Amino acid sequence: MEFCDECGSMMKTEGDEWVCGSCGFAKPRNAETEAAMTTTQGQEETEVIDVSDVDDRGLPTTEVHCDECGNDEAYWYMQQIRSADESETRFFVCTNCEHRWREDDH
């Protein structure tokens, strides 16, 4: 990848030249410089890991009782819902039935 010496925009190849699509500046291509550039061609493919069956929302869990289904584990997160001088509110989402409630509801 080359960037324009005049305006800094990304350049594209046209034949034996690098040409800027923004300002029209052109400069000759250099085979040695281009050979040293990193490309995605020829790189090893990465292994795809199937995590579709993982039940993880990326949120921490805690031991708390769900009044809807009786489960004792829930995801939790904090959110500012009142003015900045008030404390945040903790919200829970049951890991079993996905019932939602906030800490001050109980």
Side-chain angles (χ1 to χ4, degrees):
M1 179 181 304
E2 283 286 322
F3 294 94
C4 179
D5 295 337
E6 298 294 317
C7 70
S9 296
M10 190 168 50
M11 300 178 80
K12 56 186 173 186
T13 59
E14 288 184 5
D16 292 338
E17 289 186 318
W18 286 100
V19 179
C20 177
S22 297
C23 71
F25 176 76
K27 65 181 181 181
R29 292 175 66 181
N30 182 323
E32 288 179 28
T33 304
E34 289 180 34
M37 291 181 183
T38 302
T39 66
T40 57
Q41 295 173 342
Q43 292 182 355
E44 294 180 28
E45 290 190 28
T46 58
E47 180 183 355
V48 176
I49 300 172
D50 180 16
V51 294
S52 61
D53 61 339
V54 176
D55 187 25
D56 182 12
R57 294 174 179 250
L59 296 172
T61 58
T62 187
E63 189 174 313
V64 62
H65 183 74
C66 173
D67 290 338
E68 293 291 313
C69 72
N71 185 34
D72 288 326
E73 184 179 45
Y75 300 107
W76 66 271
Y77 61 95
M78 304 287 281
Q79 188 171 1
Q80 187 74 38
I81 59 171
R82 296 182 295 272
S83 61
D85 63 338
E86 300 286 333
S87 62
E88 294 179 309
T89 302
R90 187 182 346 216
F91 289 88
F92 297 98
V93 181
C94 178
T95 57
N96 184 48
C97 70
E98 297 190 8
H99 171 65
R100 296 173 182 271
W101 71 97
R102 58 187 200 191
E103 194 167 42
D104 57 89
D105 284 350
H106 286 257

